[in-house]
Amino acid sequence: MNKLYIVGLTGPTGSGKTTVAQMFAKSGIPSINADEIAHKVTDIGTQGLLELVAAFGEDILNEDGSLNRQTLAAKAFADEEKTKLLNDITHPLITMEIRKATRELIKKGVKIVLLDAPLLFESRVDRFCNDILVVIAPKEIRIERIMNRDAISHEKVLSRMNAQKDDDFYLSRAGHIIRTDCEEKELKLQVAQTLIDLRRTASEAER
């Protein structure tokens, strides 16, 4: 059976993980996006959504019954206990879907895949990974990116960031590091070199 070399793609919020994943995709490396899976397992009618409502209240729902993710985030990231509660509900469901996705990729003969998961270690899905790629950027740049991306206040961005691990946590666990506080040309060079390294390591792992 084909061996799938799984590379955990992680880093603090706003670091540029999506951009890096898109660059890898252009080089033929697919990704499993944990955020997209998180949306899937908390969609209308899912057990995940029912459990979130029971834990955080009906005011996390939009008028159409869908999950208001900003309201949930404001509640869940208010303190560590509530963040843990959110993770305890969603992470087992996300893990199940990741297993399904990897099985499908193996059937297709894929050799390397990125597992794009901001909470890679907290959700313990790093245990699926053969390697870890950390994407990093200075805090000031990340704050600006998140404010523009999510249209939220500086205060809410800081609340979200404070609920995550610091840079040293990620860097100490990295097999590879890509820094996104640079021009696009430099970023592409970093991605290209990392891909060379990953392909070599994946090939060696198959022997």
Side-chain angles (χ1 to χ4, degrees):
M1 179 181 290
N2 171 49
K3 290 183 179 180
L4 182 63
Y5 195 80
I6 303 175
V7 181
L9 173 64
T10 193
T13 182
S15 60
K17 295 181 292 295
T18 299
T19 298
V20 169
Q22 289 171 346
M23 289 183 173
F24 273 98
K26 289 179 180 178
S27 297
I29 305 300
S31 63
I32 299 170
N33 189 299
D35 279 345
E36 291 178 0
I37 291 176
H39 280 66
K40 177 181 178 181
V41 300
T42 55
D43 204 354
I44 294 176
T46 61
Q47 182 63 31
L49 183 57
L50 291 175
E51 291 184 22
L52 288 176
V53 170
F56 293 97
E58 292 189 359
D59 58 332
I60 65 170
L61 296 177
N62 294 310
E63 290 185 3
D64 63 358
S66 62
L67 179 61
N68 186 314
R69 298 183 187 279
Q70 286 195 8
T71 301
L72 174 62
K75 287 191 170 190
F77 297 137
D79 60 59
E80 290 185 6
E81 185 176 336
K82 289 181 180 178
T83 301
K84 182 179 184 302
L85 178 59
L86 171 65
N87 293 340
D88 287 345
I89 293 171
T90 58
H91 288 171
L93 301 172
I94 293 170
T95 297
M96 188 183 305
E97 291 298 320
I98 288 173
R99 289 183 184 277
K100 290 180 183 178
T102 56
R103 286 196 294 267
E104 289 301 313
L105 290 171
I106 289 172
K107 289 179 182 178
K108 294 178 181 178
V110 172
K111 298 290 186 181
I112 302 175
V113 64
L114 297 181
L115 176 50
D116 183 353
L119 298 175
L120 184 76
F121 301 105
E122 296 89 335
S123 60
R124 296 173 59 200
V125 296
D126 61 302
R127 67 186 186 275
F128 297 132
C129 300
N130 304 99
D131 211 338
I132 304 295
L133 169 58
V134 168
V135 179
I136 206 81
K139 184 176 181 179
E140 296 75 17
I141 291 177
R142 293 191 287 116
I143 290 172
E144 183 178 354
R145 287 174 178 171
I146 299 167
M147 289 177 66
N148 292 333
R149 181 190 69 195
D150 298 343
I152 59 176
S153 68
H154 187 276
E155 182 181 2
K156 287 185 177 179
V157 172
L158 289 179
S159 175
R160 186 180 299 181
M161 293 174 73
N162 290 335
Q164 289 192 335
K165 305 295 185 182
D166 60 21
D167 290 359
D168 288 341
F169 173 87
Y170 295 103
L171 293 173
S172 66
R173 291 160 174 78
H176 308 271
I177 300 169
I178 290 180
R179 302 181 184 275
T180 62
D181 56 329
C182 59
E183 297 294 330
E184 184 178 1
K185 182 178 180 180
E186 169 60 26
L187 183 56
K188 287 181 177 179
L189 288 173
Q190 290 186 68
V191 169
Q193 183 58 56
T194 302
L195 182 53
I196 290 171
D197 295 341
L198 290 174
R199 281 178 168 153
R200 181 179 63 249
T201 307
S203 178
E204 291 172 352
E206 277 196 318
R207 295 174 185 171

